[in-house]
């Protein structure tokens, strides 16, 4: 999933189908190891076809995946029907379950084999953890560093194919994709670290499988495959909403808080701008002067009702006083806060022009001022420039923070 | 008269990272306007914000005194060349014809009149003979000319062009430049995102210097000064040198 | 007509089945072209799976398998899939392909559950998954004096709707597929067009289920379109070609399935895949084979040019009195070349009358060959001179770039360089520029 190849997994799982059929035809009976080997080979062939199409033709990746997926499945269907025609008896039952999945239909021997393969994959992933991380992140860099990117990539694909193939008997090809994507996507919501993510994904995968199987076993007429997928989907949905930092709820709250804060700062800044010249005209720095609602309305592109809400909140917070006739005045505390906000903003502005080359990397709307983001010497330099008479002459009067 | 373009208080942010910050800008007269600034300064984003292609965190944009959504027919747009799939199965004439779609409205198909206009526009940019060529077989300069012809076919009053001179040959750059001047002389406004400081004084009447915040906007002779450039680009000496060269060349003319 | 069918061993039943297969695969292929061009092929797959709950709902509401309620349900689900995928993606938490995978597998799982839970529902899951052409061909109703399969009606409606959709929204579909930003800046609602397209895909998908089943609809959507994309550079032609490929694979698929006694749906996908493979290999401009041939031709041309340039230098050497004659043994004339192209170069030159054999395996330039060689050597030395003058490279670094450039300099560029060099007579090695 990390390599934005979630659906390659889907294609590989579908591509495995004709391999199963061919293996069946060759072996003549349903023996899981042989079938799995056939599935593995044709899955790998599918994965390689996708890369080849992408590299050698103008076909884009998505279409390549779609083509491999559908054509291989088509071949698989056709073959399986031929098998059903030629082989008598119930031995074909095993094939059908590859598509829809039939957890309960597995025999003990199958389980051992699947477990062994799963373990092998796990060991390989652990051993080659660093290498996989590198090629997932930056294949070009890996190649320059002298890692054999091509074989590693192939190995990763093979592992994918193997994982998919051993999962097939349990859930079937269609729902395999869900099992590949869901745990990884869920884990991604909880963490930013690859190691933790892998662990979590494994955990979620196990939980999903367990929950789905239990649910399906306890009720009649609940096929395991879909239930497992839905269990995974519920885990994902729950995480999507509730995960601490990347979850939607957390994100929404943070955004609302952020936007409100931003608006508040805008308001205070505008107020300060309006108050400041009047204050200095009268020669008194802190004489609160009133500002009318309509004055404020014209200053920025905010609607009437939004401005009214903002003002009401500012009054509640004690930054503003309502002086009747739609006029407002900054309180003592409000003036101090407004001065701080305006100063912070002017520092930002100054920083962006004085250190234009650094600006793009550091700019952050969430920060009221640059002070916390920059090295002290830069901040000191900015303070100095902000207080310079020349800067004041340009109109950037320096409001002194208390 | 309503101002041509009125950008009020526009902030655009991806998550918390501002791309444009409190941009206030009013353009009154149709001119040939260059938008200049370092990489990541939000030049393309400014165009997209004006055209309504990116959501605004705050602020509003008005074109001829009305919201841009109501003025679509007066706008011509030249996106960056990399923004489309050049393998797409259309030929040059088809692409230019797309410029007429906006005026046609839903369901109507381009007819003989539109075809004639598209051919005329292709002629104007000097690639009339390539009309039937598949777009993937064009050189970079020819692709750019195709996009310009398409913008001409939009018959707009204001043109927005995103780096039309990036990665084209010298002949194409000259041709584009001549065309832009013709448009200006017909009373159209042309806003061009431009990356080559050396040619700014030579090409544009009006410059907008942008580095996330609006640094300056005004006639090139007044605004395109070393001081303003330093505010836009920071202390990148090589850039300033080349700009200084350009300034000297311009004043020597 | 009936004789012909008898010859193939096909009855009217098979004819109906084939017609159905052709109708629905053409409808799929038309929409598929847009999916491929928009790089949204996989959402076709996603939708074809995700419509399952819509079908079941439509069925439960109306009590019949075919018909408008089911198609409406499928269209709604098509829209829903596209919408949910977009919503998940734009939440910024999940990559696009993952979000698509999550949406469609979950919806599909819901659908499978609904089918199995609905119990007495006469909706055979395997029929939805794999389709059953013959079964569909058996259930007929009279229509304009003919026995027409029930399902064909739905498919014909789907095809007609698709044709109408493509015709009406031709320019909107085109411009939003090519350049959505431009479309938006012109006031064409790209998102709306997109959702319309997705709903159409949902509807057509479900109409096609009876022929090919849900899993293989993707084959009919994507493969003919991709095939056509390799064959042409015009959108209209692409739609036409995709339809033809789709129809062809439907017919061939059905016939071969009959012959092999297997499922037509699978064979249709296989034939589409084979046709695609043929296009990959043999497409006139974008095919692998034509590219190999082009490269080989270029290789032979370059090798040939190296040979005649070598011969030209020999003639020069004779002019300076360093050699007795102008002919060279083939092996020696070929020393600047390598590989297969080198072997093929001399016969090719001889066929074009640029070299002639002068006995004992030796060759020399003809008059025509000399003219071409002169131009080449001129290109080579001009380039050396140009590089030497403008990049001030040391003289021993000049030969190799010139060796490559000499094959690609056209006369106009050469004249330009020559003009810039102000009629220099010699290259940096002191040899005359012809």
């Amino acid at each position: 999933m990390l390599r934005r190849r979630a659906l390659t997994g889907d294609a590989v799982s579908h591509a495995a189908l004709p391999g199963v059929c061919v293996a069946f035809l060759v072996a003549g009976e349903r023996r899981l190891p042989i079938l799995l080997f056939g599935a593995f080979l044709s899955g790998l062939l599918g994965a390689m076809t996708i890369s080849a199409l992408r590299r050698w033709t103008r076909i884009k990746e998505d279409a390549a995946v779609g083509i491999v997926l559908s054509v291989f499945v088509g071949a698989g269907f056709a073959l399986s029907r031929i098998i059903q025609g030629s082989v008598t008896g119930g031995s074909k039952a095993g094939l059908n379950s590859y598509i829809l999945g039939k957890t309960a239909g597995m025999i003990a021997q199958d389980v051992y084999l699947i477990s062994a393969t799963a373990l092998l994959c796990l060991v390989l992933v652990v051993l080659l953890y660093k290498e996989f991380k590198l090629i997932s992140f930056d294949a070009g860099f890996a190649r320059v560093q002298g890692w054999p990117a091509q074989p590693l990539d192939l190995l990763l694909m093979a592992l994918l194919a193997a994982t998919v193939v051993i999962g097939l008997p349990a859930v079937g090809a269609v729902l395999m994709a869900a099992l590949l994507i869901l745990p990884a996507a869920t884990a991604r919501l909880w963490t930013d670290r690859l190691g933790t993510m892998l662990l979590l994904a494994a955990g979620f995968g196990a939980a999903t499988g367990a929950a789905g199987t239990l649910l399906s076993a306890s009720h009649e007429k609940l096929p395991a495959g879909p239930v497992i997928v839905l269990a995974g989907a519920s885990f994902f949905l729950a995480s999507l909403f509730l995960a601490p930092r990347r979850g939607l709820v957390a994100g929404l709250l943070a955004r609302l808080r952020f936007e409100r804060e931003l608006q508040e700062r805008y308001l205070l800044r505008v107020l300060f701008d309006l108050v400041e010249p009047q204050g200095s005209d009268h020669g008194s720095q802190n004489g609160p002067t009133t500002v009318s609602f309509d004055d404020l309305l014209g200053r920025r592109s905010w609607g009437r009702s939004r401005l009214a809400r903002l003002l009401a909140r500012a009054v509640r917070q004690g930054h503003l006083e309502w002086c009747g006739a739609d006029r407002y005045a900054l309180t003592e505390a409000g003036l101090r806060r407004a001065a701080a906000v305006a100063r912070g903003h002017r520092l930002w502005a100054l920083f962006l022009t004085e250190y234009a080359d650094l600006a793009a990397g550091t700019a952050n709307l969430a920060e009221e001022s640059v002070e916390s983001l920059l090295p002290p010497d830069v901040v000191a330099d900015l303070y100095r420039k902000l207080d310079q008479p020349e800067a004041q002459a340009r109109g950037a009067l320096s409001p002194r923070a208390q | 008269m309503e101002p041509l373009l009125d950008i009020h208080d526009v902030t655009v942010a991806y998550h918390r990272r501002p791309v444009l910050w409190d941009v206030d800008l009013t353009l009154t007269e149709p001119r040939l306007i260059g938008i200049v600034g370092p990489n990541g300064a939000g030049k393309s984003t400014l165009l997209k914000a004006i055209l309504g292609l990116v959501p605004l965190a705050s602020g509003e944009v008005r074109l001829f005194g009305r919201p841009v959504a109501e003025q679509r027919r007066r706008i011509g747009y030249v996106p960056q060349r990399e923004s489309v799939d050049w393998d797409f199965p259309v030929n040059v004439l088809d692409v230019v014809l797309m410029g007429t779609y906006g005026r046609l409205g839903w369901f109507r198909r381009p007819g003989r009149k539109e075809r004639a206009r598209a051919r005329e526009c292709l002629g104007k940019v000097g690639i009339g003979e390539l009309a039937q060529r598949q777009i993937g077989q064009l050189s970079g300069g020819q692709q750019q000319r195709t996009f310009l012809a398409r913008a001409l076919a939009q018959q707009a009053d204001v043109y927005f062009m995103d780096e039309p001179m990036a990665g084209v040959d010298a002949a194409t750059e000259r041709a584009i430049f001549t065309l832009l001047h013709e448009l200006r002389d017909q009373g159209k406004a042309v806003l061009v995102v431009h990356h080559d400081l050396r040619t700014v004084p030579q090409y544009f009447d009006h410059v907008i210097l942008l580095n996330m915040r609006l640094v300056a906007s005004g006639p090139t002779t007044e605004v395109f000064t070393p001081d303003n450039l330093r505010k836009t680009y920071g202390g990148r000496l090589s850039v300033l040198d080349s700009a200084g060269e350009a300034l000297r060349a311009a004043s020597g003319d | 007509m009936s004789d012909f069918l008898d010859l193939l061993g096909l009855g009217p039943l098979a004819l109906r089945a084939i017609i159905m297969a052709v109708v629905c695969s053409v409808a799929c292929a038309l929409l598929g072209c847009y999916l491929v061009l928009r790089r949204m092929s996989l959402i076709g797959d996603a939708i074809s799976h995700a419509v399952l709950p819509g079908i079941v709902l439509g069925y439960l509401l109306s009590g019949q398998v075919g018909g408008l309620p089911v198609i409406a349900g499928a269209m709604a689900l098509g829209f829903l899939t596209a919408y949910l995928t977009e919503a998940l993606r734009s939440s910024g938490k999940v990559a696009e392909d993952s979000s698509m995978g999550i949406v469609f597998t979950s919806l599909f799982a819901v659908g499978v559950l609904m089918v199995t839970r609905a119990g007495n529902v006469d909706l055979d899951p395997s029929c939805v998954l794999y389709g059953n052409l013959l079964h569909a061909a058996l259930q007929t109703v009279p229509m304009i004096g003919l026995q027409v399969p029930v399902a064909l009606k739905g498919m014909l409606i789907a095809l007609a709707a698709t044709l109408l959709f493509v015709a009406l929204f031709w320019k909107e579909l085109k411009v939003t597929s090519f350049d959505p930003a431009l479309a938006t800046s012109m006031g064409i609602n790209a998102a709306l067009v997109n959702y319309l397209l997705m709903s159409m895909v949902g509807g057509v998908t479900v109409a096609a289920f009876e022929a090919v089943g849900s899993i293989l609809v993707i084959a009919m959507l994507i493969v003919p379109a991709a095939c056509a994309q390799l064959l042409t550079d015009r959108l209209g032609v692409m739609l036409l070609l995709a339809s033809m490929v789709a129809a062809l694979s439907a017919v061939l698929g059905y016939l071969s399935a009959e012959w092999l006694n297997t499922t037509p749906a699978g064979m249709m996908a296989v034939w589409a895949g084979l046709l695609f493979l043929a296009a990959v290999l043999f497409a006139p401009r974008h095919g692998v084979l034509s590219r190999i041939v082009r490269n080989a031709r270029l290789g032979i041309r370059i090798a040939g040019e190296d040979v005649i340039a070598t011969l030209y230098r020999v003639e020069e050497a004779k002019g300076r009195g360093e050699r007795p004659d102008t002919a060279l043994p083939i092996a020696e004339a070929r020393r600047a070349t390598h590989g297969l192209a080198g072997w093929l170069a001399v016969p090719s030159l001889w066929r074009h009358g640029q070299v002639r054999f002068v006995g004992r395996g030796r060759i020399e330039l003809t008059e025509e060959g000399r003219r071409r060689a002169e131009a080449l050597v001129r290109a080579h030395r001009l380039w050396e001179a140009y590089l030497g003058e403008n990049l001030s490279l040391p003289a021993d670094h000049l030969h190799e770039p010139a060796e490559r450039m000499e094959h690609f300099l056209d006369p106009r560029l050469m004249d330009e360089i020559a003009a810039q060099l102000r009629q220099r007579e010699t290259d940096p090695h002191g040899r005359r520029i012809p």
Side-chain angles (χ1 to χ4, degrees):
Chain A
M1 171 195 148
L2 270 184
R3 308 198 57 191
R4 307 189 172 277
R5 285 210 186 146
L7 291 167
T8 312
D10 188 27
V12 169
S13 68
H14 282 77
L17 196 63
V20 176
C21 299
V22 172
F24 185 88
L25 280 178
V26 172
E29 57 180 322
R30 184 183 177 233
R31 287 238 306 274
L32 194 64
I34 296 175
L35 294 193
L36 283 185
F37 186 66
F40 173 72
L41 278 189
S42 80
L44 197 60
L45 181 68
M48 279 155 55
T49 312
I50 293 175
S51 326
L53 279 182
R54 238 188 42 200
R55 183 158 326 150
W56 300 113
T57 70
R58 69 200 311 216
I59 299 295
K60 310 282 187 287
E61 172 149 27
D62 63 322
V65 171
I67 290 163
V68 165
L69 184 155
S70 58
V71 172
F72 275 64
V73 175
F77 280 3
L79 281 170
S80 80
R81 193 59 69 87
I82 293 175
I83 291 169
Q84 285 174 27
S86 62
V87 182
T88 50
S91 58
K92 62 167 176 135
L95 287 178
N96 247 338
S97 69
Y98 274 92
I99 294 144
L100 283 176
K102 203 165 280 177
T103 315
M106 291 192 292
I107 48 174
Q109 215 185 339
D110 296 356
V111 176
Y112 292 137
L113 182 80
I114 290 169
S115 315
T117 321
L119 205 66
L120 181 71
C121 288
L122 201 65
V123 168
L124 271 174
V125 168
V126 171
L127 281 181
L128 295 173
Y129 174 74
K130 177 175 86 249
E131 286 77 5
F132 283 150
K133 190 171 167 178
L134 194 62
I135 63 166
S136 302
F137 180 64
D138 185 349
F141 178 71
R143 204 164 299 133
V144 173
Q145 288 277 298
W147 293 103
Q150 211 81 29
L152 272 179
D153 202 25
L154 210 64
L155 182 63
L156 196 63
M157 288 236 209
L159 274 183
L160 183 68
T163 324
V164 166
V165 165
I166 58 167
L168 278 179
V171 286
V174 177
L175 302 176
M176 190 66 222
L179 277 195
L180 278 179
I181 301 168
L182 278 169
T186 313
R188 183 78 188 87
L189 291 170
W190 291 87
T191 176
D192 286 331
R193 297 180 52 88
L194 184 60
T196 325
M197 181 181 149
L198 283 178
L199 276 181
L200 274 177
F204 278 121
T208 304
T213 319
L214 282 179
L215 218 70
S216 137
S218 60
H219 290 76
E220 236 180 293
K221 292 182 71 178
L222 268 186
V227 176
I228 292 177
V229 171
L230 287 183
S234 343
F235 276 129
F236 172 76
L237 269 185
S239 309
L240 182 64
F241 282 106
L242 300 177
R245 256 173 0 91
R246 299 174 62 92
L248 280 185
V249 174
L252 191 69
L253 283 180
R255 214 181 64 220
L256 283 180
R257 205 178 319 125
F258 169 62
E259 270 171 15
R260 202 173 60 205
E261 212 175 283
L262 213 58
Q263 294 292 345
E264 263 169 38
R265 267 191 257 150
Y266 277 146
L267 177 69
L268 287 171
R269 243 170 55 215
V270 172
L271 281 168
F272 191 83
D273 288 347
L274 285 172
V275 168
E276 194 181 33
Q278 293 175 26
S280 49
D281 282 350
H282 296 296
S284 62
Q285 282 296 317
N286 44 7
T289 321
T290 59
V291 176
S292 83
F293 185 86
D294 291 325
D295 256 2
L296 286 173
L297 195 62
R299 274 312 189 90
R300 293 187 76 87
S301 58
W302 37 33
R304 220 157 230 294
S305 59
R306 192 203 275 180
L307 179 58
R309 272 205 311 277
L310 276 172
L311 286 170
R313 197 163 50 233
V315 170
R316 271 205 313 281
Q317 287 171 337
H319 291 156
L320 271 188
E321 275 170 348
W322 188 66
C323 319
D326 267 345
R327 295 190 74 81
Y328 294 84
L330 278 167
T331 62
E332 192 64 33
L335 187 66
R336 258 205 310 278
R337 178 92 184 95
V341 167
R343 184 181 167 81
H345 186 78
R346 283 172 202 183
L347 268 177
W348 260 123
L350 196 63
F351 166 66
L352 290 182
T353 51
E354 293 296 325
Y355 292 88
D357 38 355
L358 293 179
T362 29
N364 192 327
L365 277 177
E367 296 293 330
E368 192 171 293
S369 176
V370 281
E371 281 128 324
S372 56
L373 295 175
L374 298 175
D377 53 326
V378 176
V379 176
D381 180 43
L382 286 176
Y383 280 148
R384 202 166 38 73
K385 289 195 169 129
L386 193 60
D387 295 334
Q388 265 169 17
E390 173 214 0
Q392 296 183 357
R394 283 207 300 260
L397 276 169
S398 76
R400 290 215 168 265
Q402 300 301 306
Chain B
M1 194 189 111
E2 287 286 357
L4 173 86
L5 179 68
D6 192 10
I7 299 173
H8 189 51
D9 200 15
V10 163
T11 298
V12 176
Y14 294 128
H15 302 288
R16 291 177 181 199
R17 192 122 291 189
V19 188
L20 292 175
W21 198 348
D22 287 347
V23 174
D24 265 297
L25 180 66
T26 306
L27 300 173
T28 44
E29 292 170 55
R31 281 168 176 279
L32 187 46
I33 300 153
I35 302 177
V36 179
N39 287 334
K43 291 168 293 184
S44 297
T45 310
L46 180 63
L47 285 198
K48 288 181 182 158
I50 296 172
L51 294 169
L53 301 178
V54 292
L56 306 182
S58 77
E60 62 177 351
V61 178
R62 285 173 163 265
L63 199 64
F64 302 110
R66 290 164 65 190
V68 176
E70 296 168 20
Q71 302 279 20
R72 298 259 180 234
R73 289 189 181 186
R74 304 179 71 171
I75 295 173
Y77 177 42
V78 179
Q80 279 184 19
R81 199 150 46 83
E82 297 80 35
S83 65
V84 304
D85 172 14
W86 290 97
D87 272 342
F88 202 86
V90 286
N91 64 22
V92 172
L93 190 64
D94 285 333
V95 175
V96 179
L97 269 176
M98 285 179 193
T100 65
Y101 287 4
R103 276 174 187 261
L104 285 172
W106 293 88
F107 306 127
R108 268 184 52 211
R109 301 276 293 269
R112 188 172 300 157
K113 204 177 81 197
E114 281 76 19
R115 266 165 210 289
R117 195 200 302 155
R119 282 186 188 284
E120 184 193 330
C121 294
L122 269 179
K124 268 189 213 157
V125 299
I127 49 169
E129 74 284 1
L130 299 179
Q132 301 301 327
R133 192 76 75 82
Q134 203 270 332
I135 52 171
Q137 300 163 19
L138 300 179
S139 71
Q142 290 165 339
Q143 289 177 346
Q144 200 63 60
R145 287 173 191 232
T146 309
F147 266 10
L148 269 177
R150 184 174 72 178
L152 291 182
Q154 288 183 279
Q155 294 188 314
D157 296 323
V158 193
Y159 289 91
F160 298 91
M161 307 192 175
D162 204 343
E163 304 239 5
M165 320 230 190
V168 303
D169 52 291
T172 303
E173 182 160 340
R174 275 197 299 275
I176 294 175
F177 171 58
T178 316
L179 197 71
L180 297 186
H181 270 256
E182 271 170 33
L183 283 174
R184 193 259 325 263
D185 295 342
Q186 290 164 22
K188 318 259 186 188
V190 188
L191 277 88
V192 182
V193 172
H194 195 64
H195 63 283
D196 186 2
L197 281 179
R198 278 168 304 180
T199 47
V200 167
Q202 177 196 352
Y203 284 177
F204 302 107
D205 326 324
H206 188 112
V207 194
I208 294 170
L209 289 169
L210 196 69
N211 185 8
M212 192 172 321
R213 297 167 53 87
L214 181 71
V215 177
S217 161
T220 311
T221 44
E222 292 169 22
V223 170
F224 200 68
T225 60
D227 191 38
N228 276 335
L229 283 173
R230 194 182 52 80
K231 285 187 195 161
T232 316
Y233 284 88
R236 284 178 232 182
L237 283 174
S238 57
V239 171
L240 291 181
D241 283 349
S242 69
E245 225 169 80
L247 283 173
R248 268 196 302 282
S251 55
D253 280 346
Chain C
M1 185 69 194
S2 65
D3 288 347
F4 175 66
L5 286 173
D6 285 343
L7 206 65
L8 287 170
L10 295 173
L13 195 65
L15 183 64
R16 282 186 220 137
I18 289 181
I19 290 177
M20 280 198 293
V22 169
V23 166
C24 68
S25 33
V26 169
C28 284
L30 288 175
L31 293 179
C33 284
Y34 290 103
L35 293 182
V36 168
L37 289 176
R38 287 162 171 252
R39 308 189 184 189
M40 294 173 74
S41 313
L42 293 173
I43 205 155
D45 184 36
I47 287 179
S48 65
H49 285 91
V51 290
L52 195 54
I55 300 173
V56 180
L57 263 185
Y59 172 77
L60 287 178
L61 289 178
S62 70
Q64 62 191 66
V65 181
L68 281 181
V70 170
I71 290 188
M75 288 180 80
L77 260 291
F79 168 77
L80 189 68
T81 312
Y83 180 78
L84 286 179
T85 303
E86 178 57 28
L88 258 191
R89 193 192 61 75
S90 62
S91 77
K93 312 289 175 200
V94 196
E96 176 164 18
D97 59 342
S98 299
S99 56
M100 198 190 310
I102 288 166
V103 169
F104 92 80
T105 50
S106 305
L107 286 174
F108 183 71
V110 170
V112 173
L113 266 191
M114 281 167 85
V115 172
T116 42
R117 289 296 283 175
N120 54 348
V121 174
D122 177 30
L123 197 65
D124 181 3
S126 79
C127 176
V128 175
L129 288 174
Y130 314 123
N132 192 338
L133 262 180
L134 274 184
H135 182 69
L138 272 172
Q139 298 170 317
T140 57
V141 287
M143 203 168 91
I144 44 171
L146 284 169
Q147 284 294 312
V148 174
V150 187
L152 183 58
K153 221 171 75 186
M155 293 174 188
L156 281 174
I157 293 174
L159 178 61
T162 306
L163 285 172
L164 199 68
F165 175 70
V166 170
L168 278 182
F169 293 97
W170 175 260
K171 71 178 198 302
E172 283 79 8
L173 281 169
K174 191 167 169 181
V175 69
T176 54
S177 305
F178 177 61
D179 193 346
L182 175 86
T184 312
S185 83
M186 292 195 304
I188 293 175
N189 190 334
L192 180 68
V193 175
N194 189 28
Y195 287 135
L196 273 176
L197 178 64
M198 292 308 139
S199 304
M200 288 301 297
V201 171
V204 167
T205 299
V206 71
F209 275 2
E210 282 179 273
V212 293
S214 77
I215 299 180
L216 286 178
V217 167
I218 173 81
M220 292 295 103
L221 279 171
I222 303 304
V223 186
C227 189
Q229 196 193 10
L230 291 175
L231 293 174
T232 177
D233 285 330
R234 299 300 309 274
L235 183 57
V237 184
M238 178 174 165
L239 288 172
L240 204 70
L241 279 176
S243 311
M244 277 158 52
V245 171
L248 193 63
S249 48
V251 174
L252 290 176
Y254 186 88
L255 294 178
S256 57
E258 195 91 314
W259 184 60
L260 286 170
N261 191 20
T262 176
T263 158
M267 287 315 287
M268 279 161 68
V270 169
W271 271 106
L274 289 176
L275 290 174
F276 173 74
L277 186 69
V280 166
L281 293 178
F282 305 117
R285 259 227 319 277
H286 305 297
V288 170
L289 214 63
S290 78
R291 201 151 48 182
I292 291 175
V293 169
R294 250 200 326 269
N295 283 343
R297 279 225 183 102
L298 186 66
I300 293 175
R301 199 196 94 199
I302 288 177
E305 290 181 351
D306 286 340
V307 168
I308 56 175
T310 308
L311 287 170
Y312 184 83
R313 290 187 179 115
V314 167
E315 289 191 354
E316 275 186 335
K318 180 176 181 268
R320 289 194 301 270
E322 291 165 16
R323 278 184 66 94
D325 60 355
T326 57
L328 270 186
I330 293 178
E332 210 171 313
R334 228 176 38 215
R335 64 170 184 255
T337 70
H338 33 77
L340 190 63
W343 281 99
L344 295 173
V346 174
S348 152
L349 286 173
W350 175 74
R351 219 178 48 240
H352 289 99
Q354 289 170 351
V355 295
R356 61 169 163 260
F357 290 92
V358 290
R360 282 179 301 145
R362 291 153 65 89
I363 51 176
E364 67 175 8
L365 288 173
T366 62
E367 195 49 45
E368 197 186 329
R370 189 168 301 117
R371 265 201 306 280
R372 189 162 158 225
E374 199 174 71
L376 264 168
V377 173
R378 173 176 154 83
H380 181 102
R381 293 187 182 159
L382 270 175
W383 193 246
E384 279 188 345
Y386 181 73
L387 287 185
E389 196 138 296
N390 291 315
L391 299 180
S392 46
L393 288 171
D396 55 335
H397 277 62
L398 296 172
H399 179 72
E400 268 186 45
E403 191 64 33
R404 251 169 293 137
M405 267 316 280
E406 65 180 13
H407 306 291
F408 302 103
L409 280 179
D410 60 24
R412 220 180 60 202
L413 195 57
M414 275 202 283
D415 291 343
E416 209 168 293
I417 294 175
Q420 270 193 37
L421 294 174
R422 281 180 233 89
Q423 313 298 330
R424 269 182 67 148
E425 295 284 308
T426 56
D427 72 0
H429 307 295
R431 286 180 307 230
R432 194 180 61 81
I433 298 174

